[in-house]
């Protein structure tokens, strides 16, 4: 069952987001592989840190207007999904922070939750 994803919709350049996540994955905590996405008015920050006090913050331009939102994901889940999509732009839909997101591309029936 697919929950309704309507509260926030972000359009991001697929390859740029994939590259930012791959760079961030190098520093991710080995136990959790957590990456945070901070999204606000036309910008997305990809952030992580580890036990050695190393931090990464990568920013990219996205299509988004609305309240600031932050969500956490396993970085490798996002990398795997983005690696299988082909469109130049992908869409992330959220219902609430710290909740499931839906990742899709224009013109495709493939969906990643």
């Amino acid at each position: 069952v697919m929950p309704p994803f309507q509260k926030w919709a972000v359009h991001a350049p697929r390859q740029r987001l994939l590259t930012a996540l791959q760079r961030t994955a190098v520093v991710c905590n080995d136990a959790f592989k957590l990456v945070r996405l901070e999204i606000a008015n036309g910008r997305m920050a990809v952030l992580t840190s580890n036990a050695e006090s190393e931090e990464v913050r990568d920013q990219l331009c996205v299509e988004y207007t609305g309240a600031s939102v932050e969500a956490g994901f396993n970085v490798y889940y996002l990398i795997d999904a983005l690696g299988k999509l082909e469109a130049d732009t992908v869409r992330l839909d959220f219902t609430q922070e710290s909740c499931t997101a839906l990742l899709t591309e224009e013109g495709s029936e493939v969906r990643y939750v």
Side-chain angles (χ1 to χ4, degrees):
V1 175
M2 299 293 284
F5 291 96
Q6 300 170 349
K7 191 166 185 180
W8 298 293
V10 180
H11 292 86
R14 185 188 63 83
Q15 188 58 50
R16 176 71 179 92
L17 177 55
L18 179 58
T19 301
L21 290 165
Q22 289 167 332
R23 280 195 298 259
T24 304
V26 173
V27 176
C28 276
N29 181 310
D30 288 333
F32 302 110
K33 315 273 191 268
L34 179 68
V35 63
R36 287 189 344 261
L37 303 181
E38 292 179 353
I39 305 160
N41 292 330
R43 292 214 151 301
M44 177 187 292
V46 180
L47 306 106
T48 196
S49 60
N50 62 26
E52 288 81 34
S53 298
E54 298 172 318
E55 296 182 358
V56 172
R57 180 182 184 92
D58 201 342
Q59 290 197 23
L60 57 144
C61 294
V62 296
E63 289 181 36
Y64 177 76
T65 55
S68 297
V69 62
E70 182 178 330
F73 299 94
N74 179 306
V75 69
Y76 293 107
Y77 291 167
L78 290 176
I79 288 171
D80 288 346
L82 288 168
K84 296 199 178 14
L85 297 175
E86 298 176 354
D88 291 337
T89 303
V90 294
R91 178 178 167 146
L92 254 70
D93 288 294
F94 301 91
T95 55
Q96 58 185 320
E97 290 187 71
S98 303
C99 186
T100 305
L102 179 66
L103 178 64
T104 58
E105 67 183 342
E106 201 64 36
S108 174
E109 296 295 319
V110 177
R111 296 172 185 206
Y112 294 91
V113 178

